[in-house]
Amino acid sequence: MAEHAAASGWRGFWERGGWWRALVLAAVYFVLYEGLSLLFGPLAEGITDPQSAAAVVVFYVLPVTVGALLLIAFIWSVGWFGEIFGPQPIRGSGWMWIAVAAVLLFNILRFATIDYADTEAGVVPAWLLAGLLVGFAEEVLTRGLVVNLLRKAGYREIAVAVVSAAVFAGLHAGNLLSGQALLPTLVQLGYTFAFGICMYLAMRVTGTIIVPILLHATTDPSIFLQSAHPAEGALAGIAGLGNIVVIIVGLVLLIFIRGRVESTREQAAIA
């Protein structure tokens, strides 16, 4: 009886939703992720090439795997697998496909302008695996859990989009802790916020979180690989405009977001 009450209290706390619960969840995840990532520190001591497959595995694959497992455990604890991975409670308009097209187009262009002969063995598969894990973890946290918590509190969808994108951008402020300079970090925050809006729109227009997971999964590898191993030619220059286009698309389309999902309290009253 006591265990059932504790479980009900835990789930009931999160069922009420709200922006501050979303921030608490993201902050706790960030602290746990960063703390548990230190466990892989000894594995990094023997890595001399930061762009090697081993470096990608140690610095990205292993820590993000831990993060993904933490998120799965949390979803299981509150019984939200259907809410996170099932059909969206609100669908989007046709113009939202612009966000999907912009991200997908430049991901394809970047992959097409990588000098694969210049990469070491195993680097490309390692980045593809890392991208899939990063896409899963970051989308499940921000477009999944954060969005769900905001909707449960009855926020309008424009607020849901902005807050979830801001949380997503805020997670990347942690790069300051790894020694990244302030100015590049600020630029990255602007890009990740706009990218977060694009991923929200992708989820709305397709009705599933799977699409933003896959879009995100191809974004990071294409950016890192094309930056480190660019092929020669005009097409590579066009591919390099991807971040600017995503920023413009995300910020412009944000203005047109409409809609609202009934809060948990409203749904209970109707029932």
Side-chain angles (χ1 to χ4, degrees):
M1 182 68 70
E3 292 180 358
H4 176 73
S8 299
W10 169 257
R11 180 170 182 176
F13 172 81
W14 295 105
E15 282 290 340
R16 289 190 287 273
W19 65 268
W20 69 269
R21 286 182 175 85
L23 293 183
V24 167
L25 179 62
V28 170
Y29 170 81
F30 179 81
V31 171
L32 290 176
Y33 170 79
E34 292 292 334
L36 293 173
S37 295
L38 297 176
L39 297 175
F40 303 109
L43 298 177
E45 294 178 358
I47 296 177
T48 57
D49 182 4
Q51 295 185 1
S52 65
V56 175
V57 171
V58 172
F59 296 129
Y60 294 96
V61 172
L62 294 179
V64 180
T65 298
V66 173
L69 291 175
L70 288 174
L71 293 171
I72 291 172
F74 176 80
I75 294 171
W76 172 81
S77 74
V78 294
W80 287 356
F81 277 103
E83 296 180 27
I84 301 300
F85 298 105
Q88 288 289 295
I90 182 172
R91 293 296 295 270
S93 303
W95 59 264
M96 294 181 178
W97 283 105
I98 297 173
V100 178
V103 174
L104 181 59
L105 171 63
F106 282 96
N107 286 356
I108 293 173
L109 285 175
R110 283 190 291 258
F111 276 121
T113 55
I114 295 171
D115 185 357
Y116 292 97
D118 187 52
T119 63
E120 295 183 7
V123 169
V124 173
W127 266 119
L128 292 177
L129 176 59
L132 182 60
L133 290 166
V134 170
F136 177 86
E138 293 188 350
E139 291 306 313
V140 167
L141 174 61
T142 54
R143 254 62 66 185
L145 293 169
V146 171
V147 164
N148 201 35
L149 285 165
L150 294 170
R151 285 174 174 169
K152 285 180 179 296
Y155 292 105
R156 292 190 174 277
E157 285 300 298
I158 189 168
V160 172
V162 169
V163 174
S164 61
V167 170
F168 174 64
L171 293 173
H172 293 80
N175 290 331
L176 289 170
L177 301 177
S178 60
Q180 182 169 287
L182 179 60
L183 182 58
T185 301
L186 292 176
V187 173
Q188 185 180 31
L189 293 183
Y191 165 75
T192 49
F193 176 83
F195 181 80
I197 296 296
C198 289
M199 292 301 96
Y200 162 86
L201 293 173
M203 184 172 68
R204 276 283 301 272
V205 75
T206 62
T208 174
I209 197 174
I210 302 302
V211 172
I213 287 175
L214 295 177
L215 281 175
H216 197 152
T218 55
T219 298
D220 288 0
S222 69
I223 290 176
F224 283 103
L225 287 169
Q226 204 263 355
S227 298
H229 310 282
E232 296 182 0
L235 194 60
I238 297 174
L241 300 174
N243 289 1
I244 297 175
V245 172
V246 166
I247 291 174
I248 294 173
V249 169
L251 296 182
V252 171
L253 296 186
L254 168 63
I255 302 171
F256 302 99
I257 295 174
R258 299 290 186 272
R260 179 176 175 270
V261 175
E262 291 180 342
S263 68
T264 301
R265 185 176 300 178
E266 290 171 326
Q267 293 172 3
I270 294 174

